[in-house]
Amino acid sequence: MNLTHLDEKDRPKMVDVSEKNQTTRIAVASGIIQMSQDAYDAIVNEKAKKGPVLQTAVIAAIMGTKKTSELIPMCHPLNLSGINCDVEELPELPGFKLELTAKLTGQTGVEMEALTGVSIGLLTIYDMVKAIDKGMVIKNVQLESKEGGKSGNYKR
């Protein structure tokens, strides 16, 4: 089996995508953070001492999406054309679901960018209320769908 991120001498390399066609590519990822009722209440009532948690998490998710190639060694730097992040309250957990859509027209996909953005957004929520609840659980960070590229579309 030939590994795409190793050259003929088994040295790490970034895949050359210069021969691939440019297509519109969209990836949607999501994840959940579960927490105590006290932490949840502090967030929804905007009583967290570090400021507006959900707004900060959305900004962090967008920033994380844009910095993916700096964090994941073999990811290409991408010219993203759009990033959208939504947060859904899950009072029954209690917790939140963060969903992020990344889009571009290019030669490689945006799945890693969407997954990284979700992870950074959820970690930001954790950071901002960890004084209230250190037992929060981040879970189910996953690709929901992708469109475009040679491998075609995917939907969970």
Side-chain angles (χ1 to χ4, degrees):
M1 175 179 175
N2 289 336
L3 299 176
T4 60
H5 286 81
L6 295 177
D7 69 11
E8 63 281 347
K9 294 181 181 176
D10 289 335
R11 294 178 301 202
K13 70 170 187 173
M14 190 168 78
V15 174
D16 182 356
V17 296
S18 59
E19 298 299 318
K20 292 174 86 177
N21 292 328
Q22 288 207 11
T23 60
T24 298
R25 297 157 184 267
I26 301 169
V28 179
S30 70
I32 292 172
I33 186 164
Q34 187 172 355
M35 62 192 57
S36 68
Q37 190 66 51
D38 287 344
Y40 179 83
D41 290 343
I43 293 170
V44 296
N45 295 320
E46 297 188 5
K47 301 289 185 197
K49 290 182 180 179
K50 290 188 176 182
V53 175
L54 299 180
Q55 295 90 326
T56 305
V58 168
I59 293 167
I62 292 168
M63 290 174 66
T65 302
K66 296 187 324 182
K67 293 203 170 275
T68 299
S69 67
E70 296 175 33
L71 301 168
I72 309 295
M74 301 304 173
C75 283
H76 294 82
L78 300 179
N79 188 18
L80 296 162
S81 59
I83 303 168
N84 187 50
C85 183
D86 291 312
V87 181
E88 177 185 350
E89 294 178 8
L90 302 173
E92 68 279 4
L93 276 182
F96 300 91
K97 179 178 182 180
L98 194 144
E99 185 174 275
L100 186 136
T101 303
K103 182 178 180 181
L104 62 70
T105 299
Q107 296 168 299
T108 189
V110 290
E111 300 94 83
M112 291 306 300
E113 286 70 17
L115 289 162
T116 300
V118 165
S119 299
I120 296 299
L122 293 171
L123 286 167
T124 298
I125 293 171
Y126 185 97
D127 178 56
M128 293 188 74
V129 293
K130 67 181 182 268
I132 300 169
D133 179 10
K134 289 181 180 32
M136 289 177 279
V137 176
I138 294 172
K139 58 186 180 179
N140 300 342
V141 175
Q142 59 193 19
L143 182 67
E144 296 292 342
S145 64
K146 76 163 247 0
E147 296 176 30
K150 190 169 93 174
S151 66
N153 297 345
Y154 167 81
K155 183 148 181 78
R156 180 166 297 283

